[in-house]
Amino acid sequence: MPSNTSAPPAKKKGRRARLLLVLLVLVLVAGVGAGGYWGVSTVRGSFPQTTGEIRLDSLSGQVEVKRDAQGVPQIYADNETDLFRAQGYVQAQDRFYEMDVRRHVTAGRLSEMFGEGQVETDSFLRTLGWRRVAQEEYDKVLSAETKKYLQAYAEGVNAYLKDREPGDVSVEYAALALTNDYAIEPWTPVDSVAWLKAMAWDLRGNMQDEIDRSLLTSRLTPAQIKQLYPEYPYALHQPIVDGGKVDESTGKFGPEGGDDLGTGETPGTNPAGIDGSGDSSQGMASQLAALSEVLDGVPALLGPNGNGIGSNSWVVSGDYTTSGKPLLANDPHLAPQLPSLWYQMGLHCRSVSATCRYDVSGYTFSGMPGVIIGHNDKIAWGLTNLGADVTDLYLEKIGPDGYLVDGEVKPFTVREETIKVAGGADRKITVRSTEHGPLVSDRSSELETVGQKAPVGNAAPDRGTGYGVSLQWTALQPGKSMDAIFAIDRAKDFDSFRAAARNFEVPSQNLIYADTEGNIGYQSPGKIPQRATGDGTLPAPGWDSKYRWKGYIPFERLPYEYNPERGYIVTANQAVIDPKKYPDLLTKDWGYGSRSQRINDLIESKTKDGGKISPDDMRTMQTDNRSEIATLLNPLLLKIDIADPHVREAQKLLEGWDYTQEPDSAAAAYFNAVWRNVLKLSFGNKLPKEVRAEGDCINVRPADATGPVDEQNKLVRECGQRDPDSAQPDGGDRWYEVVRPLLKQEKSEWWTTPGSRTDQATETRDQLLARAMKDARWELTAKLGKDVSTWSWGRLHQLTLKNQTLGTAGPGVVQRLLNRGPWNLGGGEAAVDATGWNAAGGYEVIWVPSMRMVVNVGDWDKSRWINLTGASGHAFHTHYTDQTDAWAKGELYDWAYGKAAVDAATKDTLVLKP
């Protein structure tokens, strides 16, 4: 997952722009390495001016930009438009190259910067049409006030770009200029709006699960697949909202009551017999695997979609805090990018009034005005991904004249797109859409016959030349999320906060809240579809109108809480509410609640018997690294009778281990290696190649084989096809719930493995655990050495920060110049300190707490925060990664907010004048 594994920021399977390798060698190795012109003039020439005065024609009044020791700016202006003009200017100073690459992603114009290697990615992005939807939002949906702010922000960005050569903006442009006549275009308001589409894409929910369940049908039965996607454990891991119900007479959700409303199941969940049965499942698997590969190539700007995309947030009432006021914590789990996805900033009206209403500080996105997460003078808020199912794939019966619905042929909606290519000829593509959405299967020759052998029942029409695949997604419809961001920034109480949240349509997020009056709250906003038939877990039959979306859950029905009796609210991607208490389907694919329950337990243990929680307790909770799966599995591992003295030596590391995953822990290193090998032996080697990691090769019976293995039906060598960062089994807390009941069974089909030249076949749980312990011992011997006393989790579990484009390919010397690290980290997958790794791919850190904050509500200057990297996107700048060492240690910096505190913390002051 790092989303930063190719140039531009696509996953590792994305097509690399080969020009960049040449540019890197020419510019960075020859230049910086030699300490010549490129190393001094070009690199430092783009650093921002942070002191003195600068005149900007677009300003109407004087603006001050005060930066602290970490280079974090606090902006002071007399009116709102000047405030957002200055925000645009300052963000462009520090991060314009990042902003420019990002807008080329959202517009499907990467080929203009990086050449023909990005044409396929651009084609898919144009098919999705993020930029087109953003333009429609700006033209037809957003308020006049929001458009005024967006225009002011764009004016500020363009004021920075004015009269600057590309090489003066960032060193990357100097490199591009050697072989590409790329010219920087002015920033537009729609460039900012389109970023929300990329954010929504990376937080889109269960599309990959929908594909994977279909892919698994080639090797597993429906019953086995169900075992691998267990129900959410409501009895073990409490949901966010534990009370409330929908009043069917008013259609509103209320916090009172909590009556049983039934099963929460959606009737007719099996779409037209699409169940994985029949001899044709392998055909569908190969086609959906092609779709999965195309999706994997789309740049993921936030991180790997799926179980790793998460976050922690929680808020504790003042009744249970040392300050007597609420405390609020948030740490979103996203891709480890360089620069960090977040940009810290304060936006302050010098005198808050009806005409200048902003006094807000927190985390922003470069390229977009406003503050996304933070606080103003009255309220604080945080975000985590709700994970609502807002995407559906539809199999479409297509022909030359259109697609079939209820026996009638409907015409496609068609548009032409032209992709400009640096150093090459333009490419033209045709985008076809059905009533559900764009035909994503048009974007690859392999996908032209997606669904040709889909396992559908007799309700399906004649296949003809096969099924296409279309995508319906809430973010492809114009919405008002940009309005919501500004409204949240100036909200003063829970009513105005909820009113703002009403427009936070995509991506659907968990919003937590606290205010200076001592209130705490939660709201689940978002445009979440209501399905007449089906539950969104498998591709639906587009030819049957019963599977259309019938609308969206009204905002009034969405769950919320206000001052719950328990005195705290925790959101960490767990289920929002028990379906027995709530009639609407939000998703079937929640995170499984390991992190959220650990946070709940920590709060309860701290507050029992009248205890109080301090801000430092909140910080300590954020860095809690206890492994839940270890509490289940480790006692069984200690009971295994191990004869091999070398394996027994490793087993002894687990004796007395407290399940914490500190960087220097040998026990954590060995346990996680055992867990990885348990998953590989029991599940990984039984999964189809389409979901296993690249390079993971095993001898298996052909998927379409029947009868006993013989000369005509012998084992074949089969290698995984999935990017290692998104392969299965990933080891996340879904797998905890898969394994939990199996650990009580001495015998299960999952415990069986074939023998090899060095290993006997296994038939029982303990036999497989013993084999996993042996395999882990020798794996770590190869990686860390023979002496177990030198082992440590941090040496396995490392974070390397990679520059988003030029630092992700090329020879090692180039990467050493642009990238930073590695850092040896503690924490782990599904721990509160969620330094995630994918067990199918290795131990490398692939998602992280991308920032951390603890807000001391009402006593704002005692709040604390930190970013993953630093304020600057300029390589070699002081603030490039100056926060990372402290972040890795779990430390936080003081967060100045009030004027006196900001002045005391100020190291540089820049005055912007009209």
Side-chain angles (χ1 to χ4, degrees):
M1 119 41 329
S3 62
N4 50 344
T5 47
S6 67
K11 292 187 178 181
K12 293 176 182 175
K13 271 191 171 180
R15 276 65 53 195
R16 287 180 167 84
R18 297 182 181 179
L19 280 176
L20 294 181
L21 181 58
V22 177
L23 298 175
L24 279 169
V25 174
L26 289 175
V27 177
L28 293 168
V29 176
V32 175
Y37 171 79
W38 287 101
V40 178
S41 299
T42 301
V43 173
R44 294 184 179 177
S46 61
F47 290 179
Q49 177 182 339
T50 59
T51 60
E53 297 182 355
I54 297 176
R55 293 197 174 273
L56 302 184
D57 293 340
S58 58
L59 287 178
S60 62
Q62 183 169 295
V63 177
E64 291 175 298
V65 182
K66 300 184 177 186
R67 295 178 183 257
D68 65 10
Q70 284 74 48
V72 174
Q74 303 284 338
I75 299 176
Y76 292 85
D78 290 324
N79 62 74
E80 294 174 351
T81 52
D82 276 355
L83 195 62
F84 294 116
R85 284 187 187 102
Q87 183 181 16
Y89 186 90
V90 170
Q91 287 189 340
Q93 280 187 305
D94 283 334
R95 299 282 192 96
F96 183 77
Y97 181 74
E98 173 196 12
M99 293 162 57
D100 199 16
V101 171
R102 187 177 289 164
R103 69 166 163 176
H104 279 76
V105 171
T106 59
R109 296 175 56 197
L110 290 168
S111 301
E112 296 179 24
M113 295 186 78
F114 303 109
E116 63 181 353
Q118 298 302 316
V119 169
E120 187 174 340
T121 297
D122 281 346
S123 297
F124 191 79
L125 292 167
R126 296 286 185 95
T127 298
L128 294 179
W130 295 349
R131 171 74 185 208
R132 293 179 71 255
V133 180
Q135 184 72 57
E136 191 172 354
E137 285 182 359
Y138 184 79
D139 291 341
K140 301 178 181 179
V141 177
L142 295 178
S143 70
E145 182 177 68
T146 293
K147 289 196 282 190
K148 179 179 69 173
Y149 297 154
L150 289 164
Q151 290 162 356
Y153 181 90
E155 289 169 2
V157 175
N158 293 328
Y160 173 73
L161 296 175
K162 184 180 179 182
D163 299 329
R164 279 186 167 82
E165 294 297 323
D168 297 329
V169 174
S170 184
V171 67
E172 289 91 341
Y173 292 115
L176 285 176
L178 292 179
T179 57
N180 184 354
D181 58 357
Y182 174 77
I184 297 174
E185 296 179 356
W187 193 263
T188 73
V190 180
D191 293 332
S192 296
V193 179
W195 165 236
L196 287 173
K197 302 304 170 187
M199 181 180 174
W201 175 258
D202 285 347
L203 301 176
R204 64 192 178 272
N206 76 334
M207 185 192 297
Q208 194 64 59
D209 288 329
E210 189 175 332
I211 293 171
D212 285 356
R213 271 187 285 259
S214 298
L215 292 174
L216 294 179
T217 61
S218 68
R219 289 209 171 271
L220 303 179
T221 67
Q224 289 172 321
I225 295 171
K226 186 175 181 180
Q227 278 187 285
L228 300 188
Y229 288 88
E231 295 292 326
Y232 183 88
Y234 290 96
L236 291 173
H237 299 158
Q238 66 192 68
I240 297 171
V241 177
D242 62 6
K245 65 178 181 178
V246 173
D247 184 334
E248 295 301 336
S249 65
T250 64
K252 295 182 178 180
F253 182 89
E256 297 81 21
D259 296 340
D260 194 315
L261 296 176
T263 65
E265 299 292 331
T266 301
T269 58
N270 185 29
I274 300 177
D275 58 7
S277 61
D279 295 335
S280 59
S281 60
Q282 179 60 26
M284 184 184 186
S286 63
Q287 303 302 337
L288 281 175
L291 175 57
S292 180
E293 185 170 350
V294 171
L295 295 176
D296 207 33
V298 176
L301 297 179
L302 302 186
N305 183 264
N307 197 44
I309 284 284
S311 301
N312 301 321
S313 71
W314 66 96
V315 60
V316 181
S317 164
D319 292 340
Y320 300 99
T321 67
T322 56
S323 67
K325 290 290 181 77
L327 295 174
L328 186 150
N330 197 184
D331 55 286
H333 306 154
L334 302 171
Q337 302 180 8
L338 183 58
S340 166
L341 184 78
W342 299 107
Y343 183 92
Q344 297 153 288
M345 178 175 267
L347 300 171
H348 308 277
C349 291
R350 289 194 181 94
S351 178
V352 178
S353 66
T355 58
C356 196
R357 296 164 291 174
Y358 293 89
D359 190 12
V360 60
S361 184
Y363 293 86
T364 73
F365 289 135
S366 300
M368 201 170 82
V371 169
I372 307 301
I373 295 172
H375 71 82
N376 59 34
D377 63 326
K378 297 294 185 182
I379 75 164
W381 69 95
L383 303 180
T384 64
N385 195 27
L386 191 148
D389 185 357
V390 296
T391 60
D392 276 339
L393 294 172
Y394 285 86
L395 297 179
E396 304 281 8
K397 177 64 178 71
I398 60 176
D401 300 320
Y403 60 100
L404 198 69
V405 178
D406 295 340
E408 296 183 5
V409 176
K410 290 192 168 188
F412 297 112
T413 301
V414 179
R415 71 177 190 272
E416 301 291 329
E417 295 274 351
T418 299
I419 299 172
K420 297 184 180 298
V421 182
D426 292 352
R427 308 290 177 85
K428 293 184 181 296
I429 65 169
T430 299
V431 178
R432 300 186 296 173
S433 297
T434 72
E435 65 179 32
H436 302 114
L439 274 171
V440 292
S441 52
D442 279 352
R443 292 284 67 85
S444 167
S445 58
E446 292 181 79
L447 295 176
E448 289 175 359
T449 56
V450 165
Q452 187 172 6
K453 297 182 179 180
V456 295
N458 294 330
D462 178 18
R463 296 178 194 275
T465 57
Y467 298 129
V469 177
S470 64
L471 169 65
Q472 187 162 13
W473 176 34
T474 55
L476 297 184
Q477 301 166 28
K480 297 183 178 181
S481 294
M482 199 73 232
D483 286 344
I485 290 168
F486 294 113
I488 289 174
D489 282 358
R490 58 178 185 259
K492 298 301 182 185
D493 53 30
F494 194 57
D495 286 343
S496 56
F497 180 76
R498 290 191 72 207
R502 176 184 291 272
N503 288 329
F504 206 121
E505 297 172 334
V506 292
S508 185
Q509 298 288 286
N510 296 307
L511 296 174
I512 61 166
Y513 166 94
D515 64 35
T516 54
E517 299 300 316
N519 303 301
I520 65 173
Y522 163 82
Q523 177 68 56
S524 55
K527 185 181 285 186
I528 303 171
Q530 293 176 309
R531 297 169 178 84
T533 304
D535 62 7
T537 59
L538 288 168
W543 57 84
D544 189 341
S545 63
K546 293 196 301 288
Y547 290 88
R548 288 172 175 159
W549 292 357
K550 63 180 184 179
Y552 302 96
I553 300 173
F555 181 80
E556 290 77 12
R557 293 174 68 96
L558 292 173
Y560 75 96
E561 279 192 317
Y562 188 58
N563 292 329
E565 186 176 346
R566 66 182 177 279
Y568 61 89
I569 301 169
V570 175
T571 86
N573 318 114
Q574 79 271 39
V576 170
I577 188 169
D578 191 326
K580 292 181 178 180
K581 299 179 179 180
Y582 188 71
D584 296 300
L585 178 66
L586 300 175
T587 186
K588 287 290 190 88
D589 291 304
W590 300 110
Y592 281 76
S594 291
R595 285 180 286 109
S596 62
Q597 192 57 47
R598 177 61 175 166
I599 297 167
N600 276 306
D601 292 344
L602 289 170
I603 293 172
E604 290 175 6
S605 66
K606 190 70 180 177
T607 57
K608 68 180 180 181
D609 301 325
K612 303 287 186 178
I613 292 176
S614 70
D616 198 54
D617 291 329
M618 299 283 277
R619 182 199 64 81
T620 300
M621 291 178 194
Q622 287 182 322
T623 57
D624 181 86
N625 56 33
R626 186 172 182 265
S627 168
E628 181 183 4
I629 189 59
T631 67
L632 302 175
L633 187 56
N634 199 62
L636 294 175
L637 298 178
L638 291 174
K639 293 179 181 178
I640 303 293
D641 186 12
I642 299 295
D644 185 318
H646 297 290
V647 181
R648 172 63 184 140
E649 183 182 32
Q651 184 188 36
K652 286 182 178 180
L653 295 173
L654 304 178
E655 296 175 357
W657 179 43
D658 62 0
Y659 311 135
T660 60
Q661 301 173 90
E662 296 294 332
D664 60 356
S665 172
Y670 182 57
F671 174 81
N672 282 315
V674 173
W675 171 234
R676 179 174 186 250
N677 281 278
V678 167
L679 291 168
K680 179 179 180 180
L681 292 169
S682 54
F683 305 105
N685 292 347
K686 301 176 178 71
L687 300 180
K689 63 183 181 295
E690 292 86 0
V691 303
R692 294 202 325 272
E694 283 181 307
D696 178 11
C697 300
I698 55 176
N699 294 321
V700 296
R701 177 178 174 169
D704 56 357
T706 58
V709 176
D710 54 28
E711 285 301 315
Q712 295 178 325
N713 199 18
K714 59 186 177 181
L715 298 178
V716 297
R717 189 71 168 164
E718 195 176 81
C719 295
Q721 298 176 347
R722 184 70 62 82
D723 184 295
D725 294 338
S726 57
Q728 294 294 333
D730 62 21
D733 59 359
R734 170 165 69 90
W735 293 97
Y736 297 2
E737 300 312 313
V738 172
V739 168
R740 189 188 301 273
L742 292 176
L743 291 178
K744 300 175 183 177
Q745 303 174 32
E746 182 60 27
K747 288 195 173 184
S748 165
E749 60 185 340
W750 299 109
W751 299 134
T752 63
T753 63
S756 67
R757 290 181 301 172
T758 57
D759 295 288
Q760 291 185 336
T762 67
E763 296 180 352
T764 69
R765 178 197 66 197
D766 288 354
Q767 288 173 350
L768 185 139
L769 294 182
R771 183 167 166 181
M773 292 172 75
K774 185 190 78 169
D775 290 352
R777 189 347 167 170
W778 299 117
E779 180 187 4
L780 294 199
T781 296
K783 292 179 181 294
L784 301 179
K786 188 175 180 179
D787 184 355
V788 300
S789 68
T790 67
W791 290 359
S792 70
W793 176 225
R795 286 177 60 203
L796 274 181
H797 190 54
Q798 293 186 324
L799 168 68
T800 299
L801 293 171
K802 298 180 180 179
N803 181 277
Q804 281 296 277
T805 54
L806 297 184
T808 56
V813 62
V814 172
Q815 297 197 17
R816 286 193 294 273
L817 287 168
L818 290 176
N819 301 337
R820 299 293 181 269
W823 284 266
N824 295 349
L825 298 185
E829 176 60 44
V832 178
D833 185 11
T835 55
W837 56 287
N838 187 309
Y843 304 97
E844 175 188 3
V845 176
I846 59 173
W847 54 77
V848 294
S850 55
M851 62 80 156
R852 296 187 184 102
M853 73 177 195
V854 174
V855 182
N856 200 322
V857 176
D859 198 352
W860 305 116
D861 292 327
K862 291 184 180 178
S863 301
R864 311 201 77 203
W865 63 352
I866 200 163
N867 205 349
L868 171 64
T869 60
S872 179
H874 298 282
F876 311 107
H877 193 279
T878 301
H879 301 308
Y880 192 45
T881 56
D882 60 327
Q883 299 188 47
T884 309
D885 285 344
W887 173 91
K889 297 173 185 176
E891 298 173 358
L892 300 174
Y893 292 115
D894 291 338
W895 180 354
Y897 171 74
K899 184 67 164 56
V902 169
D903 286 345
T906 295
K907 301 298 181 184
D908 290 333
T909 300
L910 175 68
V911 178
L912 303 177
K913 290 187 172 183

